């Protein structure tokens, strides 16, 4: 079944997946979906992964017009029909990415009310591990230690330069599914957790995570933070940054309000509240940080370092000065991709198929006004 071939499962819902990974990457969950929905007609088309500014696949995909007319559910990362008229029977579109900013100008997004769902919750475990891994590499001077291993150099100079995380504070800017799993791991290491969200979370219900959650992960009830901060204005953000933060995790969606959310003034505030240096991990989008200001903050030691899985632009040009900035670790937007990603994405698809069948609200539906 792959490479664009079609498998028919009766006269039920028609599901089309246009995705940049092999069909068998979700083999087990797809088998469970077929068993639960025996009349589902499933179509799979591979979309070649081409990195562009949004780290989403690019290029054209050939989807037969007669198939599009019958499709009820589309699973995709970036490919969309040109107009809603091409998919008159669509029930919802399931994106396999946590964000949808890369399609925010598409007519399907701007001019229709077709439900759009994200893959929030799918990437929490692996991205949280990436954040903690980078923080530990930084705190334990692992880059220097690895260089010693490469040189076969058994040398210890007795310096007390490594640091553990007990008693430190992690500030999570964007307390969604990824931030909540970071909080879970950070608490296990003895850290204090501070949460920051766009809107206030003052009641137990407002603190609850109602999105997709990988079992055994996250913070469903919002119980880990010792304090919550909120707001999309710089004044509210500055109140948050005035608290001493040892590890600042950026996990906000990219919107007009969050573009360059961290710039010169914000780095100065971090330095004032923590002169020993805040470590920044960005797994959101590169544009959330003013990259030129970040380079200056690294060079002037306003912050102790930065771990970046996203940059502005992407791919990062070879001559970009960010590559040579001190105490920076850069990965090519890979923190959310593991061998389990495909299965988890289709677990979200399965949940939304169930909700569609039962007449319930979809999980992870995007609020077009908010942008996430």
């Amino acid at each position: 079944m792959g490479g664009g071939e079609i498998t028919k499962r009766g006269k039920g819902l028609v599901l089309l997946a246009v995705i940049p990974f092999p069909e068998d990457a979700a083999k087990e969950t797809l088998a469970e979906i077929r068993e639960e929905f025996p009349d589902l007609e499933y179509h799979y088309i591979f979309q070649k992964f081409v990195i562009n500014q949004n780290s989403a696949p690019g290029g054209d995909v050939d989807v037969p017009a007669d198939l599009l007319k019958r499709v009820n559910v589309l699973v995709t990362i970036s490919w969309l029909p040109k107009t809603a008229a091409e998919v008159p029977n669509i029930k919802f579109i399931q994106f396999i990415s946590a964000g949808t900013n890369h399609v925010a100008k598409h007519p399907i997004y701007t001019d229709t009310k077709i439900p759009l769902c994200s893959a929030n919750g799918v990437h929490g475990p692996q991205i949280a591990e990436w954040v903690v891994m980078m923080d530990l590499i930084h705190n334990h001077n692992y880059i220097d230690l690895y260089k010693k291993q490469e040189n076969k150099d058994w040398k210890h100079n007795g310096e007390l330069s490594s640091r553990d995380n007990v008693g430190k504070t992690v500030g999570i800017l964007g307390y969604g599914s990824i931030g909540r799993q970071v909080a879970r791991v950070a608490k296990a290491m003895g850290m204090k957790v501070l949460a920051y969200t766009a809107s206030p979370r003052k009641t137990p219900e407002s603190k609850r995570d109602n999105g997709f959650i990988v079992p055994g992960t996250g913070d469903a009830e919002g119980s880990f933070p010792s304090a919550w901060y909120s707001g999309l204005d710089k004044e509210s953000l500055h109140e948050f940054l005035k608290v001493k933060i040892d590890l600042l995790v950026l996990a906000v969606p990219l919107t007009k309000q969050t573009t360059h959310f961290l710039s010169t003034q914000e780095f100065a505030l971090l330095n004032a509240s923590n002169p020993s240096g805040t470590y920044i991990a960005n797994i959101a989008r590169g544009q959330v940080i003013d990259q030129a200001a970040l380079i200056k903050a690294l060079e002037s030691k306003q912050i102790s370092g930065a771990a970046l899985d996203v940059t502005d632009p992407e791919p990062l040009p070879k001559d970009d000065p960010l590559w040579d900035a001190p105490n920076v670790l850069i990965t090519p937007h890979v923190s959310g991709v593991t061998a389990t990603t495909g299965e988890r994405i289709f677990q979200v698809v399965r949940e939304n198929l169930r909700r569609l069948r039962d007449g319930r609200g979809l999980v992870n539906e995007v609020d077009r006004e908010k942008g996430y």
Side-chain angles (χ1 to χ4, degrees), residues 4 15-23 42-49 56-64 67-68 71 73-81 87 93-97 102 345-346 349:
L15 188 154
L16 168 63
V18 182
I19 48 181
F21 53 77
E23 185 178 7
Y42 177 69
H43 301 240
Y44 163 77
I45 296 177
F46 175 76
Q47 181 180 13
K48 184 178 180 180
F49 194 92
D60 295 328
V61 176
D62 184 19
V63 181
L67 170 59
L68 278 179
V71 166
V73 177
L74 171 63
V75 181
T76 182
I77 185 170
S78 65
W79 183 87
L80 289 172
V87 283
I93 298 174
Q94 177 68 61
F95 289 91
I96 68 172
S97 55
H102 57 292
I345 285 168
F346 274 86
V349 174

Coordinates of all heavy atoms in Angstrom, one line a residue, residues 4 15-23 42-49 56-64 67-68 71 73-81 87 93-97 102 345-346 349:
G4 N 1.4 6.2 -2.9 CA 0.2 6.7 -3.5 C -0.8 5.7 -3.9 O -1.9 6.0 -4.3
L15 N -10.3 8.8 4.4 CA -9.2 9.4 5.0 C -8.0 9.5 4.1 O -7.6 8.4 3.5 CB -8.8 8.7 6.3 CG -7.8 9.4 7.2 CD1 -8.0 9.0 8.7 CD2 -6.3 9.1 6.8
L16 N -7.5 10.7 3.9 CA -6.3 10.8 3.0 C -5.2 11.4 3.9 O -5.3 12.4 4.5 CB -6.6 11.8 1.9 CG -5.4 12.3 1.1 CD1 -4.7 11.2 0.3 CD2 -5.9 13.4 0.1
A17 N -4.0 10.7 3.8 CA -2.8 11.1 4.5 C -1.8 11.5 3.5 O -1.3 10.7 2.7 CB -2.3 10.0 5.4
V18 N -1.4 12.8 3.5 CA -0.3 13.3 2.7 C 0.8 13.7 3.6 O 0.8 14.8 4.2 CB -0.8 14.5 1.8 CG1 0.4 15.0 0.9 CG2 -2.0 14.1 1.0
I19 N 1.8 12.8 3.8 CA 2.7 13.0 4.9 C 4.2 12.6 4.5 O 4.4 11.8 3.6 CB 2.3 12.1 6.1 CG1 2.0 10.7 5.7 CG2 1.1 12.7 6.9 CD1 1.6 9.7 6.8
P20 N 5.1 13.2 5.2 CA 6.5 13.0 4.8 C 7.3 11.9 5.5 O 8.5 12.0 5.8 CB 7.1 14.4 5.2 CG 6.4 14.8 6.4 CD 5.0 14.3 6.2
F21 N 6.5 10.9 5.9 CA 7.2 9.7 6.5 C 6.5 8.5 6.0 O 5.4 8.5 5.5 CB 7.3 9.8 8.0 CG 5.9 10.0 8.7 CD1 5.0 8.9 8.8 CD2 5.6 11.2 9.3 CE1 3.8 9.1 9.5 CE2 4.4 11.4 9.9 CZ 3.5 10.3 10.0
P22 N 7.3 7.3 6.0 CA 6.7 6.1 5.4 C 5.4 5.7 6.1 O 5.2 5.9 7.3 CB 7.8 5.1 5.7 CG 9.1 5.9 5.9 CD 8.6 7.1 6.5
E23 N 4.6 5.0 5.4 CA 3.3 4.6 6.0 C 3.4 3.7 7.1 O 2.7 3.7 8.1 CB 2.4 3.9 4.9 CG 1.0 3.6 5.3 CD 0.3 2.9 4.1 OE1 0.9 2.7 3.1 OE2 -1.0 2.7 4.3
Y42 N -8.9 4.2 3.4 CA -7.6 4.9 3.7 C -6.7 5.1 2.5 O -6.5 4.1 1.7 CB -6.9 4.1 4.8 CG -5.5 4.7 5.1 CD1 -5.5 5.9 5.8 CD2 -4.4 4.1 4.8 CE1 -4.2 6.5 6.1 CE2 -3.1 4.6 5.1 CZ -3.1 5.8 5.8 OH -1.8 6.4 6.1
H43 N -6.3 6.3 2.3 CA -5.4 6.6 1.1 C -4.1 7.2 1.7 O -4.1 8.1 2.6 CB -6.0 7.6 0.2 CG -7.3 7.2 -0.4 ND1 -7.5 7.0 -1.8 CD2 -8.5 6.8 0.2 CE1 -8.7 6.6 -2.0 NE2 -9.3 6.5 -0.9
Y44 N -3.0 6.8 1.2 CA -1.7 7.3 1.7 C -0.9 7.8 0.5 O -0.7 7.1 -0.5 CB -0.9 6.2 2.4 CG 0.6 6.5 2.5 CD1 1.1 7.3 3.5 CD2 1.5 5.8 1.7 CE1 2.4 7.6 3.6 CE2 2.9 6.1 1.8 CZ 3.3 6.9 2.7 OH 4.7 7.2 2.9
I45 N -0.4 9.0 0.6 CA 0.5 9.6 -0.4 C 1.7 10.2 0.3 O 1.6 11.0 1.2 CB -0.2 10.7 -1.2 CG1 -1.4 10.2 -2.0 CG2 0.8 11.4 -2.2 CD1 -2.2 11.2 -2.8
F46 N 2.9 9.8 -0.2 CA 4.1 10.2 0.4 C 4.5 11.6 -0.1 O 4.4 11.8 -1.3 CB 5.3 9.3 0.1 CG 6.6 9.8 0.6 CD1 6.9 9.7 2.0 CD2 7.5 10.3 -0.2 CE1 8.2 10.1 2.4 CE2 8.8 10.7 0.2 CZ 9.1 10.7 1.6
Q47 N 4.8 12.5 0.8 CA 5.2 13.9 0.4 C 6.7 14.0 0.8 O 7.0 13.9 1.9 CB 4.4 15.0 1.1 CG 4.8 16.4 0.6 CD 4.0 17.5 1.3 OE1 3.3 17.2 2.2 NE2 4.1 18.7 0.8
K48 N 7.5 14.3 -0.2 CA 9.0 14.4 0.1 C 9.2 15.6 1.0 O 8.6 16.6 0.8 CB 9.7 14.6 -1.3 CG 11.2 14.7 -1.1 CD 11.9 14.8 -2.4 CE 13.5 14.9 -2.2 NZ 14.2 15.1 -3.5
F49 N 10.1 15.4 2.0 CA 10.4 16.4 2.9 C 11.5 17.3 2.4 O 12.6 16.9 2.0 CB 10.9 15.8 4.2 CG 11.0 16.8 5.4 CD1 9.9 16.9 6.2 CD2 12.1 17.6 5.6 CE1 9.9 17.7 7.3 CE2 12.1 18.5 6.7 CZ 11.0 18.5 7.5
A56 N 8.7 22.8 7.0 CA 7.7 22.0 6.6 C 8.0 21.5 5.2 O 8.7 22.2 4.4 CB 6.3 22.7 6.6
P57 N 7.4 20.3 4.8 CA 7.7 19.8 3.4 C 7.2 20.8 2.4 O 6.2 21.4 2.5 CB 6.9 18.5 3.4 CG 6.8 18.1 4.8 CD 6.6 19.4 5.6
G58 N 7.9 20.9 1.3 CA 7.5 21.7 0.2 C 7.3 20.9 -1.0 O 7.5 19.7 -1.0
G59 N 7.0 21.5 -2.1 CA 6.8 20.8 -3.4 C 5.4 20.4 -3.7 O 4.5 20.4 -2.8
D60 N 5.1 20.1 -4.9 CA 3.8 19.7 -5.3 C 3.5 18.3 -5.0 O 4.3 17.4 -5.1 CB 3.6 20.0 -6.8 CG 3.7 21.5 -7.1 OD1 3.3 22.3 -6.2 OD2 4.2 21.8 -8.2
V61 N 2.2 18.0 -4.8 CA 1.7 16.6 -4.6 C 0.6 16.4 -5.5 O -0.3 17.3 -5.6 CB 1.3 16.4 -3.1 CG1 0.7 15.0 -3.0 CG2 2.5 16.6 -2.2
D62 N 0.6 15.3 -6.2 CA -0.5 15.0 -7.2 C -1.6 14.2 -6.5 O -1.4 13.0 -6.2 CB 0.1 14.3 -8.4 CG -1.0 14.0 -9.4 OD1 -2.0 14.7 -9.4 OD2 -0.8 13.1 -10.3
V63 N -2.7 14.8 -6.2 CA -3.9 14.2 -5.6 C -5.0 14.2 -6.6 O -5.4 15.3 -7.0 CB -4.3 14.8 -4.3 CG1 -5.4 14.1 -3.6 CG2 -3.1 14.9 -3.3
P64 N -5.5 13.0 -7.0 CA -6.6 13.0 -8.0 C -7.8 13.8 -7.5 O -8.2 13.8 -6.3 CB -7.0 11.5 -8.0 CG -5.8 10.8 -7.6 CD -5.1 11.7 -6.6
L67 N -10.7 12.0 -5.9 CA -10.5 11.5 -4.6 C -10.7 12.7 -3.6 O -11.4 12.5 -2.6 CB -9.0 11.0 -4.4 CG -8.5 10.8 -3.0 CD1 -9.4 9.7 -2.3 CD2 -7.1 10.3 -3.0
L68 N -10.2 13.9 -3.9 CA -10.4 15.0 -3.1 C -11.9 15.3 -2.8 O -12.3 15.7 -1.7 CB -9.8 16.3 -3.7 CG -8.3 16.4 -3.5 CD1 -7.8 17.7 -4.2 CD2 -7.9 16.5 -2.0
V71 N -13.0 13.0 0.0 CA -12.2 12.9 1.3 C -13.0 13.6 2.4 O -13.6 14.7 2.3 CB -10.9 13.7 1.1 CG1 -10.2 13.9 2.4 CG2 -10.0 12.8 0.3
V73 N -11.5 13.3 5.8 CA -10.5 13.6 6.8 C -9.1 13.7 6.0 O -8.8 12.7 5.3 CB -10.4 12.6 7.9 CG1 -9.2 12.9 8.9 CG2 -11.7 12.5 8.7
L74 N -8.4 14.8 6.2 CA -7.1 15.0 5.6 C -6.1 15.1 6.7 O -6.2 15.9 7.6 CB -7.1 16.3 4.8 CG -5.7 16.7 4.2 CD1 -5.1 15.6 3.3 CD2 -5.8 18.1 3.6
V75 N -5.0 14.2 6.6 CA -3.9 14.3 7.5 C -2.7 14.8 6.8 O -2.3 14.2 5.7 CB -3.6 12.9 8.1 CG1 -2.4 12.9 9.1 CG2 -4.8 12.3 8.8
T76 N -2.1 15.9 7.2 CA -1.1 16.6 6.5 C -0.2 17.4 7.4 O -0.5 17.6 8.6 CB -1.7 17.5 5.4 OG1 -0.7 18.1 4.6 CG2 -2.6 18.6 6.1
I77 N 1.0 17.8 6.8 CA 1.8 18.8 7.6 C 1.7 20.1 6.9 O 1.7 21.2 7.6 CB 3.2 18.3 7.7 CG1 4.0 19.3 8.6 CG2 3.9 18.1 6.4 CD1 5.4 18.8 9.0
S78 N 1.7 20.2 5.6 CA 1.7 21.5 4.9 C 0.8 21.5 3.6 O 0.3 22.5 3.2 CB 3.1 21.9 4.5 OG 3.6 21.0 3.5
W79 N 0.6 20.3 3.0 CA -0.1 20.3 1.8 C -1.6 20.5 2.0 O -2.2 19.8 2.9 CB 0.0 18.9 1.0 CG -0.7 18.9 -0.3 CD1 -0.2 19.4 -1.5 CD2 -2.0 18.5 -0.5 NE1 -1.2 19.3 -2.5 CE2 -2.3 18.8 -1.9 CE3 -3.0 18.0 0.3 CZ2 -3.6 18.5 -2.5 CZ3 -4.3 17.7 -0.3 CH2 -4.5 18.0 -1.7
L80 N -2.2 21.4 1.3 CA -3.7 21.6 1.4 C -4.3 21.8 0.0 O -3.5 22.2 -1.0 CB -3.9 22.9 2.2 CG -3.7 22.8 3.7 CD1 -3.8 24.2 4.3 CD2 -4.6 21.9 4.4
P81 N -5.5 21.5 -0.2 CA -6.2 21.8 -1.5 C -6.1 23.3 -1.7 O -6.1 24.1 -0.7 CB -7.6 21.3 -1.3 CG -7.6 20.4 -0.1 CD -6.5 20.9 0.8
V87 N -12.7 20.1 -1.8 CA -13.0 19.1 -0.7 C -14.4 19.4 -0.1 O -14.5 19.7 1.1 CB -11.9 19.1 0.4 CG1 -10.6 18.4 -0.1 CG2 -11.6 20.6 0.8
I93 N -9.4 18.7 9.2 CA -8.0 18.5 8.7 C -7.1 18.4 9.9 O -7.1 19.2 10.8 CB -7.6 19.7 7.8 CG1 -8.4 19.8 6.6 CG2 -6.1 19.6 7.5 CD1 -8.1 21.1 5.7
Q94 N -6.4 17.3 9.9 CA -5.5 16.9 11.0 C -4.0 17.2 10.6 O -3.5 16.6 9.7 CB -5.6 15.5 11.4 CG -4.7 15.0 12.5 CD -5.0 15.7 13.9 OE1 -6.1 15.5 14.4 NE2 -4.1 16.5 14.4
F95 N -3.4 18.2 11.2 CA -2.0 18.5 11.0 C -1.2 17.6 11.9 O -1.5 17.3 13.0 CB -1.7 20.0 11.2 CG -2.3 20.9 10.1 CD1 -3.6 21.4 10.3 CD2 -1.6 21.2 9.0 CE1 -4.1 22.2 9.3 CE2 -2.1 22.0 8.0 CZ -3.4 22.5 8.2
I96 N 0.0 17.3 11.3 CA 0.9 16.4 12.1 C 1.9 17.3 12.9 O 2.8 16.7 13.5 CB 1.6 15.3 11.3 CG1 2.6 16.0 10.3 CG2 0.5 14.5 10.5 CD1 3.4 14.9 9.5
S97 N 1.8 18.6 12.8 CA 2.7 19.5 13.5 C 2.0 20.1 14.7 O 0.8 20.2 14.7 CB 3.2 20.6 12.6 OG 2.1 21.3 12.0
H102 N 2.5 27.9 9.6 CA 3.0 27.8 8.3 C 1.9 27.7 7.2 O 2.2 27.9 6.0 CB 3.9 26.5 8.1 CG 3.2 25.2 8.5 ND1 2.8 24.9 9.8 CD2 2.8 24.2 7.8 CE1 2.2 23.7 9.8 NE2 2.2 23.3 8.6
I345 N 1.1 10.4 16.2 CA 0.3 11.3 15.4 C -1.0 10.6 15.0 O -2.1 11.2 15.1 CB 1.1 11.7 14.1 CG1 2.1 12.7 14.5 CG2 0.1 12.2 13.0 CD1 3.1 13.0 13.4
F346 N -0.9 9.3 14.7 CA -2.2 8.6 14.3 C -3.0 8.2 15.5 O -4.2 7.9 15.4 CB -1.8 7.4 13.4 CG -1.7 7.8 11.9 CD1 -0.6 8.3 11.4 CD2 -2.9 7.8 11.1 CE1 -0.5 8.7 10.1 CE2 -2.8 8.2 9.8 CZ -1.6 8.6 9.3
V349 N -5.2 11.1 15.4 CA -6.2 10.9 14.3 C -7.3 10.0 14.8 O -8.5 10.2 14.6 CB -5.5 10.3 13.1 CG1 -6.5 9.9 12.0 CG2 -4.5 11.3 12.5

